[in-house]
């Protein structure tokens, strides 16, 4: 496989890309990582860009992610919001895991928000779903369906206790 050639080819596998946990908030539109290639204080940022940035890009397709190398002596991450505000995150001297955990805590969506989005997305995606959180409360709202048994009783031949009654 040609995509398995190069430095750390595991970064290009779909399983690795889907394993990312950093899903940025909806208000963030641009994320810029500024770092220098030399220096001990930039080591964690270089490794973060190498290992975690592909996952962040894969999980956030609507966010523009830019890296700026050798422009500043100290590394930092700048996030731009759609309102025009920006947030500077100091990553000087931190390891790649510390940077990743800090970004999840500061600019990432919380677990509760992610769970609520996944539940609502699953229910809203399929028009056949009905119940709490869906477009329809009951299947009886669709044309051609039998009305709710609580409103109009079912005919005797459609009730299980009469249909399967042993004489």
């Amino acid at each position: 496989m040609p995509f398995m050639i190069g430095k750390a080819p595991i970064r290009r596998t779909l399983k690795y890309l889907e394993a990312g946990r950093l899903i940025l908030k909806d208000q963030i539109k641009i994320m810029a990582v500024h770092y220098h290639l030399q220096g001990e204080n930039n080591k964690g940022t270089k490794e973060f860009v190498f290992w975690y940035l592909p996952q962040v890009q894969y999980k956030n397709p609507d966010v523009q992610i830019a890296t700026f190398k050798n422009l500043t002596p100290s590394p930092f991450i700048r996030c731009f919001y759609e309102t025009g505000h920006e947030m500077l995150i100091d990553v000087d001297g931190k390891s790649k895991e510390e940077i990743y955990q800090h970004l999840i805590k500061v600019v990432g969506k919380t677990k509760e928000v992610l769970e609520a989005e996944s539940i609502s997305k699953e229910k809203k995606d399929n028009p056949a779903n009905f119940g709490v959180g869906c477009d329809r409360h009951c299947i009886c709202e669709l044309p051609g369906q039998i009305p709710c048994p609580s409103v109009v009783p079912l005919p005797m031949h459609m009730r299980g206790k009469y249909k399967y009654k042993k004489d």
Side-chain angles (χ1 to χ4, degrees), residues 23-25 28 79 81 87 89 103 105-109:
I23 299 175
L24 299 172
K25 295 177 182 176
I28 296 176
C79 296
Y81 290 84
M87 176 189 290
I89 301 167
L103 287 176
K105 189 167 74 174
V106 174
V107 294
K109 291 182 181 178

Side-chain angles (χ1 to χ4, degrees), residues 74-147:
S74 60
F76 62 93
I77 296 174
R78 182 182 287 174
C79 296
F80 295 93
Y81 290 84
E82 65 184 352
T83 59
H85 293 89
E86 62 182 71
M87 176 189 290
L88 288 174
I89 301 167
D90 182 29
V91 293
D92 191 19
K94 293 184 179 179
S95 69
K96 66 178 180 178
E97 290 83 12
E98 290 173 338
I99 295 170
Y100 195 58
Q101 293 301 324
H102 185 69
L103 287 176
I104 288 172
K105 189 167 74 174
V106 174
V107 294
K109 291 182 181 178
T110 61
K111 290 181 183 179
E112 294 82 21
V113 171
L114 291 174
E115 288 173 5
E117 285 180 356
S118 67
I119 291 171
S120 66
K121 184 178 180 185
E122 288 173 5
K123 289 185 177 181
K124 297 285 183 183
D125 283 350
N126 192 348
N129 289 341
F130 57 91
V132 177
C134 296
D135 292 335
R136 296 179 191 84
H137 173 68
C138 183
I139 197 165
C140 70
E141 296 176 9
L142 293 173
Q145 299 294 325
I146 297 175

Side-chain angles (χ1 to χ4, degrees), residues 20-64:
R21 295 178 302 146
L22 177 58
I23 299 175
L24 299 172
K25 295 177 182 176
D26 294 332
Q27 298 90 3
I28 296 176
K29 295 302 174 192
I30 302 170
M31 180 174 142
V33 182
H34 299 261
Y35 65 102
H36 205 278
L37 293 176
Q38 281 83 29
E40 192 62 32
N41 61 340
N42 294 291
K43 184 178 179 188
T45 311
K46 278 193 314 192
E47 291 178 357
F48 171 80
V49 168
F50 185 80
W51 287 108
Y52 291 125
L53 207 61
Q55 291 178 340
V56 175
Q57 286 177 322
Y58 181 80
K59 288 287 191 171
N60 302 287
D62 297 333
V63 178
Q64 179 182 353

